[in-house]
Amino acid sequence: MRDKWSSNLGFILAASGSAIGLGNLWKFPYNTGSNGGGAFVLLYILFLVIIGIPLMLAAITLGRKTELSVFGAYRSIDKRWAFVGTLAIICGFIILAFYSTVGGWVIFYLKSAIVGDLSTTDSAYLNSLFDNLLNSPIELLSYQFIFMIATILIVLKGISGGIEKASKIMMPALFIMIIIIAVRSITLKGGIEGIEFLFVPDFSKINMNVAMNALGQVFFSISIGIGTMITYGSYLDKKDNLLSTATLIPVLDTIIAILAGLAILPAVFALGFEPTDGPKLMFVTLPAVFSSMPFGYFFSLLFFILVLFAALTSSISMLEVAVSYFVDEKGKKRVPTTIITGGFIFLLGVPSSLSLGAWSFKVLGNLNFFDLYDKLASNILLTTGAFLLAIFVGWVLTPEKAIEEIESSKIEFKLAKIWSLLIKYVVPIAIGIILVNSYIDFIKSVLGIE
């Protein structure tokens, strides 16, 4: 018998955990800092409502209607579209290969926080700590291996016994920890400047580039194109309310992103740091920020536990996409399939881990392995998968059949006509704009054009 979520709450927490990851905790604050603050946040929320939520509903509905893995979901309705499921599985492999690299960094930094190595405001020391990690192959691969083992152990237990149980612990803990850090950050002297930057929009900052970045943040944040929500939706009970579920997941995802902004930006402003430091915002700037605060050791430790939980709730969902394919479509046993698949992804991630240090050579254009995995998955496969999902639900499955599935739970979909219009026209056009820009960016990188 196919596994099911034991409760709708379990599904919501697991699905929210899948969406809530490293992108929320450093990319959202970084994007906000780089794109005009409140203006970016305003556009982000607008795009979430008109694009993110309709797409989320489409994915979960397709999954529950078919009760199959992402590959089987497309194939069962139209065999010609099975390739979209294949793209999603490949995308999951590649994303988890480089995501586990960063997951390994997080475990290293959690260890460093525990032993007190991050209790300093010396940016030169913190930069050298990060650089030394990237140039230590054994350490890099060891921590990446530990991260993958943790991911595998959770997925081994299945949906209700593994992913759901882990999410029920990690997600509430994540919320509590980020609220504590946010409260501390906004109460710092000078923190009000960061709050105003986050919430008071300067409309003069809005331009096409800011709009594209806000749309991209929504799109990548909810990670629809990877097939996770279709796979997770396939384990839902027919009585579960799809409308409230599909709305709540993006809302929770956005709340965490806003809380991450509140946890980081007021502290960064109050203590005179730069909010546009990209990856180093998490691994160099923030440890210095925490060390500048009273009880800095405690908040640094709390933050990296939080980041690890966010990373794991996303990684288990990516591994489940691949595992569910082999279990559902090939009739394989969950335990050996999970171990073999996780092991293969770890090996696939080895070049990614080493490419920022020992193997820093370019493999394609101006891309090293880490950048190649990132751009191929995020810019090409993820974007293409989400675009094809919108086309599939809007024109192949049809909104009428999707609405029938939604209302089978004895609920009335009052906004059905608006959703149909969005999923058939607005969402594909919006994602299509991102898709064109993503392909252009990827081609330029491959050709070595800056």
Side-chain angles (χ1 to χ4, degrees):
M1 183 177 175
R2 200 166 188 268
D3 204 353
K4 292 280 188 183
W5 303 104
S6 67
S7 66
N8 194 45
L9 175 63
F11 166 74
I12 289 170
L13 290 175
S16 299
S18 171
I20 295 165
L22 298 176
N24 295 74
L25 298 181
W26 74 261
K27 191 173 183 182
F28 181 83
Y30 160 68
N31 261 333
T32 302
S34 303
N35 291 279
F40 173 83
V41 174
L42 184 65
L43 288 176
Y44 173 85
I45 293 172
L46 175 66
F47 291 144
L48 180 83
V49 172
I50 63 175
I51 296 167
I53 293 175
L55 203 57
M56 180 68 71
L57 180 58
I60 295 173
T61 302
L62 177 59
R64 194 182 73 170
K65 179 176 177 60
T66 59
E67 297 185 298
L68 293 168
S69 68
V70 62
F71 177 86
Y74 283 103
R75 190 184 62 175
S76 67
I77 294 170
D78 189 329
K79 290 181 180 179
R80 294 171 298 179
W81 282 75
F83 76 96
V84 184
T86 303
L87 285 178
I89 295 163
I90 294 170
C91 184
F93 269 82
I94 297 173
I95 287 182
L96 189 49
F98 77 82
Y99 198 89
S100 62
T101 297
V102 185
W105 298 353
V106 172
I107 293 177
F108 169 81
Y109 270 82
L110 177 57
K111 182 269 295 183
S112 299
I114 292 170
V115 301
D117 286 349
L118 303 183
S119 300
T120 177
T121 58
D122 185 346
S123 59
Y125 168 79
L126 291 169
N127 269 299
S128 69
L129 188 70
F130 189 59
D131 292 339
N132 289 341
L133 172 64
L134 297 184
N135 287 284
S136 304
I138 294 175
E139 270 197 304
L140 277 174
L141 297 181
S142 297
Y143 288 113
Q144 182 189 3
F145 182 74
I146 293 169
F147 182 82
M148 280 305 303
I149 288 294
T151 302
I152 289 167
L153 288 174
I154 295 170
V155 176
L156 274 177
K157 297 291 186 179
I159 290 298
S160 57
I163 295 173
E164 183 174 352
K165 279 187 177 179
S167 298
K168 281 182 174 179
I169 295 169
M170 288 191 284
M171 287 306 297
L174 188 152
F175 272 96
I176 292 168
M177 286 187 287
I178 199 166
I179 288 171
I180 291 171
I181 296 171
V183 169
R184 182 66 195 98
S185 180
I186 63 179
T187 54
L188 287 171
K189 185 178 180 181
I192 190 68
E193 187 180 348
I195 298 171
E196 290 175 350
F197 179 77
L198 187 63
F199 290 118
V200 179
D202 179 354
F203 293 103
S204 68
K205 300 284 187 182
I206 296 177
N207 56 38
M208 183 56 68
N209 188 54
V210 171
M212 285 296 301
N213 285 331
L215 185 57
Q217 178 69 32
V218 168
F219 173 60
F220 293 120
S221 183
I222 58 177
S223 299
I224 291 294
I226 197 175
T228 302
M229 296 306 165
I230 296 174
T231 302
Y232 273 18
S234 73
Y235 298 112
L236 272 173
D237 194 279
K238 289 292 184 181
K239 69 177 185 295
D240 289 323
N241 186 325
L242 294 182
L243 288 177
S244 60
T245 299
T247 303
L248 192 54
I249 294 165
V251 168
L252 289 175
D253 180 70
T254 301
I255 289 172
I256 287 290
I258 297 292
L259 283 171
L262 285 172
I264 293 169
L265 291 172
V268 167
F269 273 88
L271 299 169
F273 289 91
E274 176 56 54
T276 58
D277 280 343
K280 287 192 174 183
L281 182 65
M282 178 180 291
F283 298 109
V284 176
T285 306
L286 282 181
V289 168
F290 291 131
S291 294
S292 303
M293 295 163 53
F295 306 105
Y297 173 85
F298 168 75
F299 286 108
S300 183
L301 182 62
L302 197 64
F303 178 77
F304 283 105
I305 294 172
L306 158 73
V307 175
L308 179 60
F309 281 5
L312 280 173
T313 53
S314 294
S315 67
I316 58 179
S317 70
M318 288 182 249
L319 182 55
E320 178 60 29
V321 170
V323 170
S324 67
Y325 164 74
F326 291 111
V327 172
D328 288 353
E329 302 298 324
K330 303 298 181 182
K332 303 296 183 182
K333 299 290 185 184
R334 172 171 281 271
V335 172
T337 298
T338 303
I339 294 171
I340 292 169
T341 305
F344 177 79
I345 291 173
F346 168 73
L347 294 175
L348 187 64
V350 169
S352 172
S353 269
L354 300 181
S355 65
L356 298 175
W359 292 4
S360 58
F361 54 85
K362 309 299 183 185
V363 291
L364 196 61
N366 58 13
L367 302 175
N368 59 30
F369 276 109
F370 184 92
D371 295 332
L372 177 61
Y373 286 7
D374 186 5
K375 285 188 177 292
L376 180 59
S378 301
N379 288 37
I380 303 300
L381 297 176
L382 194 64
T383 316
T384 303
F387 176 74
L388 292 174
L389 168 66
I391 297 295
F392 184 81
V393 174
W395 298 94
V396 180
L397 173 64
T398 71
E400 290 74 25
K401 289 182 180 177
I403 291 164
E404 185 180 318
E405 174 65 27
I406 292 165
E407 293 185 332
S408 67
S409 306
K410 296 185 168 47
I411 59 170
E412 182 184 357
F413 190 5
K414 294 180 180 179
L415 299 177
K417 288 184 179 179
I418 295 174
W419 178 77
S420 298
L421 180 68
L422 290 173
I423 205 66
K424 288 185 74 172
Y425 302 105
V426 177
V427 174
I429 290 171
I431 299 177
I433 293 170
I434 296 178
L435 192 62
V436 171
N437 281 274
S438 296
Y439 272 74
I440 291 172
D441 179 60
F442 183 75
I443 292 168
K444 283 183 177 179
S445 298
V446 169
L447 295 176
I449 301 171
E450 293 295 336

